[in-house]
Amino acid sequence: MNLTPADGGTVEVSERTDFPVNRGALCGKGRTAPAVLASGARLTSPLVRSDDGALVPAGWDEALDRIARNLVRTRAAYGADALGVFGGGGLTNEKAYALGKFARVVLGTSQIDYNGRFCMSSAAAAGTRAFGLDRGLPFPLEDIPKTGCVILVGSNPAETMPPSLRYFSELRENGGTLIVVDPRRTRTADQADLHLAPRPGTDLALALGLLHLVVAEGRVDEAYVEERTAGWEEARAAAMAHWPEYVERITGVPVPELREAVRLFCAPDAAMVLTARGPEQQAKGTDTVGAWINLCLATGRAGRPRSGYGCLTGQGNGQGGREHGQKADQLPGYRKLTDPVARRHVAGVWGVDPDSLPGPGRSAYELLDALGTDIRSLLVMGSNPVVSAPRAAHVEGRLRSLDFLAVCDVVLSETAELADVVLPVTQWAEETGTTTSLEGRVLLRRRAITPPDGVRGDLEVLHGLAGRLGVGKGFPTEPEEVFEELRRASAGGPADYSGIDYGRLAEENGVFWPCPAAGAGAGDGPVSHPGTPHSGTPDRDTAQPGTANAGTAQPGTSNAGTAQPGTSNPGTPHPGTPRLFLDRFATDDGRARFVPVAHRPSAEEPDAEYPVLLTTGRVVAQYQSGAQTRRVAELNAAAPGPFVELHPRLAARLGAAEGDPLAVMSRRGRAVAPARITTGIRPDTVFMPFHWPGEGRANTLTNPALDPTSRMPEFKVCAVRVETVPR
């Protein structure tokens, strides 16, 4: 978007048609975002908890001193791991990087994770397991209309990412087909050629059933499997145990629809599978995504032009936020915290002893569950777990039990309301920084206006706290200076940003990682990452971004003489890597890995006491925990509060009419919201959006059962009982 300063310290938003991803399209949330910049909607002074329990305005020195004093006290009494840090997937790359460094270098704690654990962690784990590398999309969004078929699993971009919907519309206009997998008939499913509506929690069985049919119908790409993969025999044996009629009994998807999905997916030369939170937010999310990846590999639909597996991100910097160190087990550049070589490299950039860096800490829910016991003080930056965490009433109780809580936020969120100190920080239009799109495209977001008096940036907060805690250097306040250090820290890692700088980002509409420094092939550098993709060379038969600018090297173009990923032309800027895996996968031997998986029940199945399934998600006019969007009048008018979506048959059994208050109860709590009756949902399932706190908080109900690999909670399926509530 383009931003123009306006009266009242805010901005006007206009379309930016030259940008290659959204091409000017904006959803209502983007168009109305300036409303949160207004002083009446946001914090403009630090707040501290007074002796009578109220949050009262304070000066910055008083607020920072109080935080530092309490952190020192906690560490002295209980040790460094009694200090916790909880970040956010909306933080810029610079802030995510600095926060991870602050936790490990200044606080010395291993207890840092972030709300992105609740977003894409299962897809990241499955992608890394299969391909050796995780990037949301291994190709640009612009490739979607050029493929032959897309299976969209558990995603509703018509409401969650409206500007992206045009790619799926163009796919169909070009003669391609769209298959949507969702227990609800969403706005996206309305546009599909085929809608599969499985019972929540059975996406794994569905993928295995499709792979069974691929084998049974002789549709396996045997040459591709032989040349580019490993582990097929075991994966095939696992899939063959999931015959169509068995899968129909598990999922509720009729066998003819399964066969039609296979026919549509296998008919064209190229196809894609894209997943989102539906299959990922499960206690078996990693295996579920792995099963969809197996389907791609068996049919030769990965690492080929206009084909592949990809994940649609759920937060503004969902990709970059997990690459640079605010995740419990990672260092910058998507390095593993347990890798001695990675530790030495990053410690060298930071100027510390590698042995001083703590090891991996708790995952997000486990960290929140440990509050008040093992973790006594917590710093939260850019997250609102009171609304967004599973088993939210329990998490709220753990936050209340802390010895000390500090929150950095733009608004007084439900989590900030519990804090001992609240710091008002800058927003998107008031600060410069980088984010990384789901395509792996690093973008520069530039400051348009000056923040109000009394508001500081998160980098200034970390600088001020580091100084008070005895670390006077290493935490600059200028984003570009932080990014320059990030470049060095990421050099040679899987997510290598070392060849990217602010100048390039401004000139090129973003640069795709991996992008090593000039003269280095992807994977070269202080830390050698075996198998890092060298396959940024473009498709020969696909139009590339920027090809209209003759003679100008653009990301992904094939202008003669331009260094391509994997080349080593000293002094020539690396062009970035729009498309991964075209030559090899990022594994030691360059082969993708099949992983044998089998269907298993959800962590909590319906029973006589809780006979209905609950699934959760978003609506178009609200975002995440709603902390900001619920302060925008236009968005609240469109989506004023929570609701319970249910099928007419279930409504009839309950004696419920449209708008009647319904109580939804799980083993973890009770939520109440009005009924919304529709034939667009399965009769055995109810749906609630999760944007609201209070009585209608959907995450009061959700199950924190964790995926054993990704540590993702099972947001998307739990057993509930539904009852009418007397008016």
Side-chain angles (χ1 to χ4, degrees), residues 21 131 133-147 149-152 167-168 270-275 296 301-312 319 437-441 512-514 535-539 542 544-545 577-582 585:
V21 180
F131 306 130
L133 181 71
D134 158 55
R135 197 177 82 183
L137 294 182
F139 43 75
L141 278 164
E142 66 173 25
D143 285 1
I144 291 174
K146 301 164 187 171
T147 193
C149 178
V150 171
I151 302 180
L152 192 58
Y167 291 104
F168 301 100
M272 299 174 178
V273 172
L274 305 177
T275 67
C296 288
R301 306 305 174 89
R304 282 180 167 173
R306 304 179 307 284
S307 287
Y309 163 76
C311 168
L312 302 180
Q319 181 66 49
S437 76
L438 74 164
E439 310 166 298
R441 187 195 305 250
F512 293 84
W513 70 258
S535 49
T537 49
D539 310 345
T542 303
Q544 302 299 321
T577 315
R579 295 169 181 85
L580 300 173
F581 312 140
L582 296 181
F585 294 96

Side-chain angles (χ1 to χ4, degrees), residues 423-444:
L423 300 179
V425 291
T426 51
Q427 298 195 60
W428 49 279
E430 302 163 346
E431 60 183 12
T432 293
T434 61
T435 62
T436 304
S437 76
L438 74 164
E439 310 166 298
R441 187 195 305 250
V442 186
L443 305 165
L444 179 62

Side-chain angles (χ1 to χ4, degrees), residues 707-726:
D707 180 287
T709 302
S710 68
R711 315 308 289 169
M712 167 73 82
E714 192 152 71
F715 287 98
K716 279 294 181 278
V717 54
C718 69
V720 297
R721 182 172 70 252
V722 185
E723 298 174 353
T724 56
V725 177

Side-chain angles (χ1 to χ4, degrees), residues 229-491:
T229 72
W232 168 231
E233 293 302 325
E234 295 82 359
R236 179 175 61 183
M240 296 314 287
H242 298 76
W243 61 94
E245 292 76 14
Y246 173 57
V247 169
E248 179 181 311
R249 289 199 301 273
I250 294 170
T251 65
V253 178
V255 171
E257 293 185 7
L258 298 176
R259 294 188 184 280
E260 178 66 0
V262 168
R263 185 189 70 80
L264 292 174
F265 185 66
C266 293
D269 293 335
M272 299 174 178
V273 172
L274 305 177
T275 67
R277 307 300 80 74
E280 298 164 15
Q281 288 182 325
Q282 299 183 30
K284 53 181 182 289
T286 302
D287 283 353
T288 300
V289 174
W292 289 103
I293 292 175
N294 286 350
L295 179 66
C296 288
L297 294 176
T299 53
R301 306 305 174 89
R304 282 180 167 173
R306 304 179 307 284
S307 287
Y309 163 76
C311 168
L312 302 180
T313 50
Q315 298 194 66
N317 195 27
Q319 181 66 49
R322 69 179 184 273
E323 294 170 2
H324 296 299
Q326 64 172 331
K327 191 164 175 275
D329 58 352
Q330 283 178 357
L331 288 170
Y334 226 147
R335 289 182 162 94
K336 289 294 183 185
L337 190 54
T338 52
D339 179 355
V341 181
R343 291 170 66 89
R344 284 197 300 273
H345 172 70
V346 174
V349 174
W350 288 351
V352 299
D353 184 342
D355 293 338
S356 70
L357 298 178
R362 292 175 172 88
S363 71
Y365 178 76
E366 292 166 305
L367 188 157
L368 295 170
D369 190 42
L371 299 180
T373 53
D374 294 338
I375 299 173
R376 310 300 293 258
S377 293
L378 181 69
L379 172 65
V380 176
M381 186 171 283
S383 189
N384 187 18
V386 166
V387 179
S388 63
R391 197 185 174 195
H394 172 74
V395 169
E396 180 178 344
R398 302 318 308 152
L399 285 160
R400 292 181 183 277
S401 73
L402 283 164
D403 295 347
F404 181 77
L405 173 62
V407 174
C408 303
D409 212 329
V410 173
V411 297
L412 191 65
S413 69
E414 288 71 24
T415 303
E417 288 175 353
L418 305 180
D420 298 287
V421 177
V422 183
L423 300 179
V425 291
T426 51
Q427 298 195 60
W428 49 279
E430 302 163 346
E431 60 183 12
T432 293
T434 61
T435 62
T436 304
S437 76
L438 74 164
E439 310 166 298
R441 187 195 305 250
V442 186
L443 305 165
L444 179 62
R445 188 177 75 187
R446 285 169 284 196
R447 172 171 165 167
I449 55 174
T450 302
D453 292 340
V455 174
R456 295 184 183 179
D458 294 282
L459 295 178
E460 294 177 271
V461 170
L462 296 176
H463 173 84
L465 289 176
R468 286 167 170 80
L469 294 168
V471 181
K473 294 182 179 180
F475 290 89
T477 60
E478 288 300 318
E480 187 168 7
E481 190 174 347
V482 177
F483 189 80
E484 288 300 306
E485 183 177 301
L486 182 158
R487 292 175 63 193
R488 299 196 304 276
S490 73

